[in-house]
Amino acid sequence: MQTQNFSAEDEQFMRRAMQLAHQAELEGEVPVGAVLVRDGQIIAEGWNRSIITHDATAHAEIQVLRKAGQVVENYRLVDTTLYVTLEPCPMCAGALLHSRVRRIVFGAPDLKAGAAGTVLNLFESEAAYHYAQIEKGLLESECREQLQQFFRRRRQEIKEAKRQQQTDGGNQSETTSE
């Protein structure tokens, strides 16, 4: 795995992935977006949809692989590049290996579940039967900030909901005791 000097085209596709991550956030999902590209053309896009679909496998990368497989009518997505705002987890890394994506470019590292070098590296495992080129850190600070803002806002919303529940609970006990 390496940190690269990225092209303007790489940045353009990662910015598109960030727009898709924003779409995930609008749907109440963790803001992760992904774009799969072949020969400079987007063949599939996706964003996290696990909450809305009640599907633990509905990560952005999996959404992209499913759509791309239908577009190219093959699960093998050779000669493609995946741009994703957050480092793939073990599930997604496994799916990317199976699909034969050639290059994976991610923005922010996943400090808890990153499977492309941060916590573990499934792409360099001796058990891997396919090797992908992993490039990290494209628009890293922007991708990380997008996620951090989401989680800060989510924690604040939870805090406010608890405060409101305590306030409402206190009022209910007063009225029910009369």
Side-chain angles (χ1 to χ4, degrees):
M1 184 170 51
Q2 54 192 335
T3 302
Q4 294 277 121
N5 289 325
F6 295 102
S7 71
E9 185 177 74
D10 289 331
E11 187 173 324
Q12 170 192 343
F13 291 128
M14 184 62 80
R15 290 202 182 281
R16 178 62 185 149
M18 291 178 69
Q19 291 171 344
L20 297 167
H22 181 69
Q23 179 63 40
E25 186 172 1
L26 292 175
E27 294 179 6
E29 301 280 349
V30 175
V32 177
V35 175
L36 191 69
V37 175
R38 179 184 283 154
D39 298 326
Q41 300 295 314
I42 294 173
I43 58 173
E45 301 180 328
W47 56 89
N48 275 1
R49 304 209 71 220
S50 294
I51 296 168
I52 199 166
T53 62
H54 311 290
D55 180 357
T57 68
H59 289 191
E61 299 95 324
I62 302 298
Q63 298 294 309
V64 164
L65 294 176
R66 288 176 178 155
K67 290 175 186 175
Q70 296 301 306
V71 168
V72 302
E73 297 180 339
N74 195 334
Y75 74 94
R76 291 186 176 184
L77 303 168
V78 296
D79 297 325
T80 58
T81 298
L82 178 80
Y83 296 88
V84 61
T85 58
L86 181 65
E87 179 179 3
C89 71
M91 174 185 68
C92 293
L96 290 162
L97 284 167
H98 279 284
S99 67
R100 312 298 200 272
V101 170
R102 180 181 53 82
R103 179 177 175 232
I104 296 145
V105 179
F106 68 87
D110 184 338
L111 303 177
K112 293 182 179 181
T118 299
V119 176
L120 65 141
N121 193 338
L122 294 180
F123 296 98
E124 292 183 0
S125 167
E126 289 182 18
Y129 44 85
H130 168 73
Y131 297 95
Q133 178 182 345
I134 308 299
E135 298 176 26
K136 65 178 182 173
L138 176 56
L139 302 177
E140 180 179 346
S141 61
E142 292 174 52
C143 291
R144 181 177 41 248
E145 183 60 28
Q146 188 176 35
L147 285 156
Q148 287 175 338
Q149 283 181 5
F150 170 80
F151 285 113
R152 275 194 295 270
R153 188 170 41 259
R154 175 72 57 94
R155 285 190 296 273
Q156 186 62 36
E157 288 168 358
I158 290 168
K159 193 176 189 180
E160 289 296 323
K162 284 182 181 177
R163 186 177 300 133
Q164 186 64 41
Q165 186 178 22
Q166 289 172 345
T167 302
D168 291 348
N171 291 341
Q172 287 178 350
S173 64
E174 289 174 17
T175 57
T176 56
S177 63
E178 292 178 339

